[in-house]
Amino acid sequence: MDLEGILLDRFEGTLEKIRYYSEESSYLVGSLRCPDGRVITLIGNFPPMREGESLVVKGEWQVHSRYGKQLAVDQWERLVPATIAGLKGYLSSGLIKGIGPVTADKIVGQFGLDTLQVLEHDPQRLQDVEGIGAKKAASIIQSYSQYKDVQNVLVFLQGYGVGVGQAMRLYRRYGPETINQVKENPYRMAEDVFGIGFKTADNIARKLGLPDDAPERIQAAITYSLSKAAEQGHVYLPREELFGKVIELTGADENSLQAGFFISQLEQMIKTKRLFCEERGEDKVVYYAPFYQAEKGAARLIARLSKLARQYSALEIAGVLGAVKDDYSHLTEEQLQVIEHALHNGVLVVTGGPGTGKTTTIKALLSTFQLTRQKVVLAAPTGRAAKRVTEATGKEAYTIHRFLEYSYTEGEGFRFQRNEENPVDAGVVIIDEASMVDLMLMYNLLKALPAGCRLVMVGDVDQLPSVGAGNVLKDLINAGNITCFRLNHIFRQARESMIIVNAHRVNQGEMPYLNVKKKDFFFMHEEDPEEAARLVVELCQQRLPNYGPFDPLLDIQVLTPMRKTAAGVERLNVLLQEALNPRKQGRIETSARGTTFRLGDKVMQIRNNYTKEVFNGDIGLITAIDTEESELVVTFRDLLQPRPVAYDFSELDELVLSYAVSVHKSQGSEYPVIVMPVLTQHYMLLQRNLLYTGITRARKLAVLVGSKKALAIAVKNNKAEERYSFLDGRLRAGEVD
C-alpha cells in the first residue's frame, strides 16, 4: 500500500471531463486521462478549467462510499498543451483577456504548435493574425503576462488553503508582489483586501511558522475584531468584549491568552497610536484610530459650526420669513419654525416620517437662503438619493463624495480633495437622507465646510441606521444641544395613502391596516415560506405587471429581511432570475462565485468602488457581455445619470443579482412597487424599524406577503440593536479638542 501511494501520488494527463465545478468554492470533480489510457477521478480546489487542458496533479487517494476511489489533489500545475485542440482550449479558457474561442482559432491557425513560443518570445507577431491590430495585440500581451503571474500566485496560495476567488482579490490588490507581501506579513491581507478574513490570514501565518502567541497574531486579531465591529455599526468596543472576540478568533482560552499579554499588546498599539482607549464610566473602551479621530473631530467641528454661523438681525429674519410665507402659503407652523431657526443656528436637524413635508421644507429652505444671498449646496449620501431630491426640488443635488471631490491622487491614493485646507465654496449645505450618513463620511464632510457655513441635516431617524459605523443622525438628536425639529403633521394628500398611514402606524407600535379597500397597500396571507417565495415570484412575473402595468425589472423591487432562508435574498434571486430572465439560446451569460450573470439581469454593486464611481447598493442592468474581452457592462440607472460601467470578469465578486435585496440595502431608495415577505422564519431580524423602512421604500404600491404573527412580532419589537457610539456624549460635553 505504501509503495502504491508513492507511485500513484503524481499524475500527468488531460482533463477529459469536468463533472462538477463551483465558482464560489473552486471545488472541482473531474476525470484525468493519463498517457497510458488510464482514467482517474480528481477532486480538489482549482481555478476555472476547460476540458482538454493538460495537467500535473499530486494528491492522496481516498475511497468514497458511493463514488469509489478518488485522488484528492493537494497541488496542481498546468502543462503546456501539446496538441492543436489543447492549445485552443488553453488560450480560450477566459483567463487571457482578448482571446475567446474565435480569436484562439485564428491564433493557433496562424502559428500552430509554436503558438506559445510566439506569445512568450515574439508576441508582436500577433499582429500577423487577421483581425488583431496593434491595440488588441498589446492588450493580449499584457493579459498573458499577467496570467502567468496569476498562475504563480494561485500555485503558491493553494498550498495554504486559499481559494481561487480570494487569490484573485489578493492579486488585484498587490499585483506581482503578492507572494512577497503574503510572506512578509500575511495578517495585512485581512486589513487590506475585501473578502479576506482573519482565519485565512492566520492559516497562512501558522503554516509559515508564526507561533500562537506571536505579537503580530494578537494585534491582527485585535484590529480585525474592531474592523468587523465597525461593519456592524460600532465605533468602538468595550475592552472586555474585545478581549472575548480575540479569544474566539485565535481559538485560545483565557489561560493560554492571559489578560496580561492581551493588555500588553493593546498598550503597544495605543503607544503607536493605532488604537485609543478611554475610560467610560467604570469601563474602558477601545477605538481603532480612524474612528476615534473621526468621532472627536466631528464633535469639534460641529461645535465650531454652531458658534461661527452668521447672525441675521430681527428685521432681516422678519423680511425673509414674510417672503417665504408668500411663496409657500401652505407651510405648517412646524415648517415655519424650521425656517426661522435655520436663520438662527449654524447646525440644524430636521426629522420626520413620510408625508410630513420634509421635501417641501427643503424647497422652502432653498428659497430662504437664496433670499439671504447665500450659496446653497444640496447633497445626499448616495447617487440614487441625490437623484431623488434633485427630481423633487428642481435643484441639482450632489452625492457627498462628488461634492467633496473624492478622487485619486498620485502617491496618496483615493481621498477627499476638499478638506480643512481646501474647503468647499458654500454658505449653506443641506444634506438629505441624513440617516444614511455614517461617522466617517460625516467627519470628512465637516472638515470641508468653511467657518461660518450653515449645515442642515434632513432625514428620518426612525429608519434603519447607516450601513457604516456610527449613528450620526440619532446622536445629533440625542445630544440635546443641537437644534432639532421633528415634523409630525401628516398632510391631507399623504393621509390618503395607506403606504404612509401604515408606515406611521408601524412606527407608533400599531398593526398596519390590512383589509382597507385602498389600491396602494396589500397584505397577502401565506405562512409557509416555500409558498410565500412562490407567491412573490408570481406577483413579480404576472400579477403586478398586469395590475399596474408595472415593469418587473424597472418598477418592482423585492425586499426581504434576511439573506438566507426559503424567502431570503439569495433564494429569491435564483427563483426570480429563472422566472424573469431565464437561460435561452442566444442569451449570453457567464458565471462567477456560483452565480450566473446573464444579459439583461438586474444586479447590485456590493462595495464602494471609487475608481468606477459606483457604490455599495447601486443597482443596474447588465447591458453587454463580451466573452472575447472577458468583460461585462452594467448600466446603472440609480446614479444621477444612467451610466455604463465595465467590469472585468475577475471583478464580478463586486456584483450580486438584485431582483431581491435586503431591506438594509434599500435605504435611500424609492421604488414604484415593493414586494416584501414577512415570515416568522425571519424572526431574528423582525424589528419595527426594519418593517417601517421597507414599507416607506414604496412610492405607488406596497405588497406584504406573510403572516399576521410575523407582522405583530416586528411591530412589537422596538429594540433596535444598539450601536457603540459616543458622538452624542462628546457633543453634550462640548469637546473642542
Side-chain angles (χ1 to χ4, degrees):
M1 290 295 294
D2 289 342
L3 180 61
E4 183 183 2
I6 293 171
L7 294 175
L8 299 180
D9 64 355
R10 182 185 185 279
F11 292 90
E12 290 187 20
T14 302
L15 187 59
E16 187 173 72
K17 183 72 176 177
I18 298 175
R19 298 175 186 170
Y20 171 82
Y21 186 69
S22 166
E23 292 275 355
E24 187 168 9
S25 65
S26 73
Y27 186 76
L28 177 142
V29 180
S31 301
L32 187 79
R33 180 171 290 277
C34 303
D36 61 5
R38 192 168 28 159
V39 177
I40 63 174
T41 299
L42 304 177
I43 58 172
N45 295 312
F46 290 83
M49 294 274 181
R50 282 182 176 264
E51 293 174 356
E53 293 204 54
S54 300
L55 301 175
V56 173
V57 296
K58 293 181 181 180
E60 296 181 1
W61 286 106
Q62 295 180 355
V63 179
H64 191 278
S65 59
R66 181 176 176 184
Y67 300 111
K69 197 173 182 181
Q70 302 172 327
L71 187 75
V73 176
D74 289 323
Q75 299 177 35
W76 55 265
E77 183 180 348
R78 278 187 167 106
L79 293 175
V80 175
T83 66
I84 295 294
L87 278 168
K88 289 179 180 179
Y90 178 76
L91 291 180
S92 63
S93 64
L95 292 175
I96 304 175
K97 190 172 181 179
I99 303 182
V102 174
T103 305
D105 279 347
K106 290 181 178 179
I107 293 173
V108 176
Q110 177 83 21
F111 303 120
L113 294 176
D114 293 331
T115 294
L116 295 183
Q117 289 295 317
V118 170
L119 283 172
E120 194 78 36
H121 302 294
D122 197 8
Q124 296 304 320
R125 288 179 61 194
L126 283 171
Q127 294 180 58
D128 296 340
V129 178
E130 181 186 354
I132 298 181
K135 185 177 179 181
K136 185 165 185 176
S139 174
I140 292 173
I141 293 165
Q142 181 184 10
S143 183
Y144 181 67
S145 175
Q146 185 183 65
Y147 171 76
K148 290 191 298 179
D149 287 341
V150 169
Q151 288 293 104
N152 291 335
V153 169
L154 291 174
V155 170
F156 170 74
L157 290 175
Q158 69 177 328
Y160 297 100
V162 179
V164 175
Q166 291 176 319
M168 291 301 295
R169 283 195 287 273
L170 286 167
Y171 184 82
R172 287 205 298 273
R173 174 65 175 83
Y174 300 127
E177 288 298 305
T178 300
I179 293 173
N180 291 336
Q181 292 284 356
V182 170
K183 285 181 175 179
E184 183 181 325
N185 182 5
Y187 290 111
R188 280 187 57 189
M189 298 187 305
E191 290 190 45
D192 291 352
V193 183
F194 171 76
I196 303 290
F198 176 84
K199 292 292 186 185
T200 299
D202 194 41
N203 182 48
I204 294 176
R206 304 290 292 283
K207 288 185 177 180
L208 287 172
L210 248 67
D212 289 359
D213 60 351
E216 301 98 316
R217 184 172 188 245
I218 306 308
Q219 291 185 20
I222 289 169
T223 54
Y224 184 75
S225 296
L226 289 170
S227 296
K228 294 302 288 184
E231 290 177 14
Q232 296 165 359
H234 302 300
V235 179
Y236 63 84
L237 283 178
R239 192 175 68 176
E240 290 306 309
E241 189 171 330
L242 175 60
F243 182 41
K245 290 184 181 296
V246 170
I247 289 172
E248 184 180 349
L249 263 182
T250 57
D253 56 40
E254 292 193 30
N255 294 323
S256 60
L257 180 61
Q258 294 179 352
F261 183 63
F262 169 76
I263 297 298
S264 70
Q265 297 309 311
L266 268 183
E267 289 175 347
Q268 177 61 30
M269 297 175 78
I270 291 167
K271 185 177 180 181
T272 56
K273 297 190 183 304
R274 291 177 65 195
L275 303 179
F276 289 84
C277 188
E278 284 189 338
E279 302 280 347
R280 195 68 48 78
E282 296 181 358
D283 299 324
K284 289 188 176 181
V285 301
V286 182
Y287 286 82
Y288 199 16
F291 295 104
Y292 179 78
Q293 291 155 358
E295 193 173 83
K296 284 185 71 71
R300 170 179 60 84
L301 293 168
I302 289 169
R304 185 184 76 168
L305 287 178
S306 297
K307 292 176 181 176
L308 297 181
R310 176 189 168 187
Q311 295 300 305
Y312 296 99
S313 69
L315 189 62
E316 287 176 305
I317 292 173
V320 169
L321 285 175
V324 172
K325 284 180 183 179
D326 288 340
D327 292 339
Y328 295 89
S329 57
H330 56 289
L331 290 178
T332 64
E333 189 60 35
E334 288 177 332
Q335 291 171 312
L336 288 170
Q337 287 182 22
V338 170
I339 305 303
E340 182 174 356
H341 280 269
L343 294 166
H344 283 293
N345 293 278
V347 179
L348 179 69
V349 174
V350 182
T351 188
T356 58
K358 293 192 299 297
T359 300
T360 301
T361 303
I362 290 174
K363 291 169 74 173
L365 285 167
L366 290 170
S367 296
T368 297
F369 289 114
Q370 284 166 0
L371 288 168
T372 63
R373 293 181 171 81
Q374 293 287 309
K375 181 176 180 180
V376 185
V377 174
L378 188 56
T382 65
R384 57 193 187 278
K387 180 180 179 181
R388 204 152 58 79
V389 74
T390 296
E391 292 168 348
T393 63
K395 177 178 173 61
E396 182 183 6
Y398 299 84
T399 63
I400 297 175
H401 281 82
R402 182 180 165 213
F403 176 45
L404 303 184
E405 298 176 16
Y406 193 88
S407 58
Y408 184 81
T409 301
E410 191 68 39
E412 297 181 5
F414 283 95
R415 69 181 185 92
F416 293 100
Q417 305 299 322
R418 296 291 186 171
N419 47 45
E420 287 176 294
E421 289 74 38
N422 183 29
V424 296
D425 178 19
V428 180
V429 173
I430 301 174
I431 304 295
D432 194 26
E433 293 289 356
S435 63
M436 298 178 66
V437 179
D438 62 41
L439 177 64
M440 296 302 295
L441 187 56
M442 183 69 178
Y443 179 47
N444 281 291
L445 171 66
L446 291 166
K447 285 196 293 184
L449 301 184
C453 183
R454 280 178 157 78
L455 175 64
V456 182
M457 303 284 286
V458 182
D460 187 346
V461 74
D462 296 316
Q463 287 187 25
L464 292 168
S466 59
V467 174
N471 210 345
V472 171
L473 188 61
K474 186 177 180 182
D475 282 352
L476 289 172
I477 293 170
N478 289 345
N481 55 4
I482 303 295
T483 302
C484 301
F485 279 91
R486 178 181 281 271
L487 301 176
N488 292 303
H489 176 77
I490 304 174
F491 285 85
R492 181 183 60 80
Q493 186 177 1
R495 289 199 299 271
E496 295 175 359
S497 165
M498 288 308 298
I499 294 172
I500 291 175
V501 169
N502 279 336
H504 283 279
R505 285 184 65 82
V506 167
N507 200 33
Q508 292 160 11
E510 299 174 349
M511 283 289 285
Y513 294 123
L514 302 180
N515 299 312
V516 178
K517 292 183 179 179
K518 294 280 187 178
K519 295 185 178 180
D520 67 344
F521 190 97
F522 294 96
F523 175 74
M524 307 189 73
H525 185 268
E526 182 52 72
E527 295 192 13
D528 180 77
E530 293 287 348
E531 285 301 306
R534 183 197 61 76
L535 181 53
V536 167
V537 173
E538 184 184 329
L539 284 163
C540 295
Q541 186 180 27
Q542 299 172 3
R543 294 169 70 167
L544 289 172
N546 292 333
Y547 177 80
F550 298 114
D551 186 292
L553 293 180
L554 301 180
D555 296 331
I556 302 171
Q557 183 61 58
V558 176
L559 308 179
T560 183
M562 297 188 75
R563 294 205 57 77
K564 306 293 183 181
T565 74
V569 171
E570 294 176 5
R571 173 89 191 294
L572 285 174
N573 268 317
V574 171
L575 296 176
L576 288 164
Q577 182 191 44
E578 187 178 314
L580 302 177
N581 192 31
R583 176 182 284 111
K584 67 179 183 181
Q585 190 171 3
R587 184 172 287 167
I588 305 172
E589 61 182 49
T590 188
S591 294
R593 297 172 295 105
T595 298
T596 297
F597 293 104
R598 199 168 287 145
L599 192 65
D601 270 338
K602 186 176 180 180
V603 294
M604 180 173 64
Q605 176 80 13
I606 59 170
R607 61 182 289 247
N608 291 340
N609 187 318
Y610 300 107
T611 304
K612 299 181 187 297
E613 294 185 5
V614 288
F615 301 95
N616 190 354
D618 287 341
I619 288 178
L621 298 177
I622 296 177
T623 50
I625 299 176
D626 188 334
T627 53
E628 287 278 314
E629 295 297 326
S630 300
E631 189 174 85
L632 177 151
V633 175
V634 179
T635 297
F636 286 95
R637 58 188 176 85
D638 280 356
L639 306 181
L640 291 171
Q641 295 292 332
R643 179 166 59 87
V645 177
Y647 290 80
D648 188 88
F649 282 178
S650 66
E651 299 174 308
L652 295 185
D653 57 352
E654 296 186 14
L655 295 173
V656 295
L657 295 176
S658 63
Y659 298 96
V661 302
S662 69
V663 179
H664 286 81
K665 290 287 190 184
S666 73
Q667 286 174 270
S669 293
E670 273 191 354
Y671 313 98
V673 182
I674 68 103
V675 179
M676 183 175 174
V678 185
L679 301 157
T680 53
Q681 194 179 38
H682 299 152
Y683 73 95
M684 289 179 62
L685 287 176
L686 288 179
Q687 297 171 348
R688 186 184 300 175
N689 63 349
L690 183 138
L691 179 60
Y692 172 74
T693 300
I695 292 172
T696 56
R697 300 308 88 204
R699 191 164 65 246
K700 295 180 180 178
L701 177 62
V703 183
L704 305 187
V705 177
S707 69
K708 291 181 181 179
K709 181 179 179 181
L711 275 178
I713 291 171
V715 169
K716 291 175 183 176
N717 181 9
N718 197 30
K719 296 179 181 177
E721 187 174 332
E722 288 298 317
R723 295 184 167 196
Y724 292 123
S725 171
F726 197 57
L727 179 60
D728 54 352
R730 297 189 191 280
L731 290 168
R732 278 193 297 273
E735 291 192 14
V736 294
D737 57 351

